[in-house]
Amino acid sequence: MAGGFGETNSSELAAFTSYALAFPDNFLALVDTYDVMRSGVPNFCAVALALRDLGYKAMGIRLDSGDLAYLSCEARKFFQAIEKEFGVSGFGKMGITASNDLNEETLDHLNKQGHEVDAFGIGTYLVTCYAQAALGCVFKLVEINNQPRMKLSEDVSKVSIPCKKRCYRLYGREGYPLVDLMIGENEPAPKVEERILCRHPFNESKRAYVVPQRVEELLKCYWRGSPDEVREDMLPLKDIRSRCIRQLDKMRPDHMRRLNPTPYKVSVSAKLYDFIHFLWLNEAPVGELQ
């Protein structure tokens, strides 16, 4: 396999192994956490082959980002190579499922391009009326046992920001919010009239100094997860709604216009930026050109 298993992410392999142990008859792995072809698919194949030796059959993989047509074809070639290399009958026909905000137009494009997808997972466009758009929310693991965790993806918008954080809204002289700033849990909070470097989480050239006239903390922890800690009661839904409306009223008009609104900036501190990219470079598989 030309060293195809040498540079895969070990924590992903451990996760797949745990998943397969829990659901040996329903092992369908999401393979785009780090890199589909350099990590996800090889790790899946390793666990699927081990399951086969134990008398189980893996169901297949799921693609949830990137070029679905291309990745499905490359995954199929990999499965077929495994079947030929190890003499595993039927492995080349391993199931490939695709998802990621699919709709009729996307399916039409995929069919015209040509793909190897066996099943499509359609959710948002099936259960919502897009005249009234859906709000896509996903919970991402950022830390476990005090160890930061980060989701990597070929789609940068899906890359998560690791570790526990605090978030602050920085206001300008005119009273409007300028930027929301995320910092590490143990970093000092931003202060009024203190010059702060705010950085885009992933774009090195996008950065600005901000001197806030007012600082508002946005995150409040109601329960830290320990059974020994008292949980604070959430506000009633109507109070949460009222607060949301008040926050929207504070925004600059060009952020709120329906046509071509100005994007509102969400930044990270310089220290958190450095940590994100340190962890990213350490966890991302290294490609090899031949």
Side-chain angles (χ1 to χ4, degrees), residues 149-250:
R149 290 292 181 263
M150 180 179 188
K151 173 184 166 59
L152 302 183
S153 173
E154 294 174 10
D155 182 351
V156 176
S157 67
K158 293 192 171 186
V159 175
S160 63
I161 298 176
C163 75
K164 293 178 185 175
K165 296 173 286 294
R166 290 186 291 163
C167 187
Y168 295 86
R169 182 157 292 164
L170 310 183
Y171 290 80
R173 293 187 185 279
E174 297 180 356
Y176 293 120
L178 297 174
V179 63
D180 288 356
L181 177 68
M182 287 185 284
I183 66 173
E185 186 182 38
N186 297 319
E187 289 187 61
K191 297 178 182 178
V192 171
E193 296 188 348
E194 181 181 83
R195 196 164 176 250
I196 303 160
L197 178 60
C198 298
R199 304 203 61 167
H200 187 285
F202 308 115
N203 190 325
E204 186 176 13
S205 64
K206 289 187 176 181
R207 52 189 177 167
Y209 283 107
V210 177
V211 181
Q213 302 305 302
R214 184 161 77 87
V215 175
E216 177 186 7
E217 187 165 10
L218 297 180
L219 289 181
K220 178 177 180 179
C221 183
Y222 282 85
W223 184 50
R224 293 192 173 273
S226 170
D228 301 325
E229 291 188 24
V230 177
R231 304 185 195 191
E232 190 172 338
D233 291 335
M234 294 282 288
L235 293 172
L237 188 59
K238 62 181 180 62
D239 292 346
I240 296 173
R241 179 178 181 273
S242 297
R243 180 183 183 278
C244 182
I245 292 171
R246 290 195 302 273
Q247 291 287 330
L248 291 174
D249 288 340
K250 294 177 183 177

Side-chain angles (χ1 to χ4, degrees), residues 61-93:
I61 63 171
R62 179 165 72 94
L63 303 170
D64 191 50
S65 62
D67 187 332
L68 299 178
Y70 169 77
L71 291 172
S72 68
C73 293
E74 291 300 301
R76 181 67 67 208
K77 290 176 188 175
F78 201 98
F79 294 154
Q80 291 169 346
I82 291 284
E83 178 174 350
K84 182 178 179 181
E85 181 81 14
F86 297 103
V88 184
S89 177
F91 203 95
K93 297 180 180 178

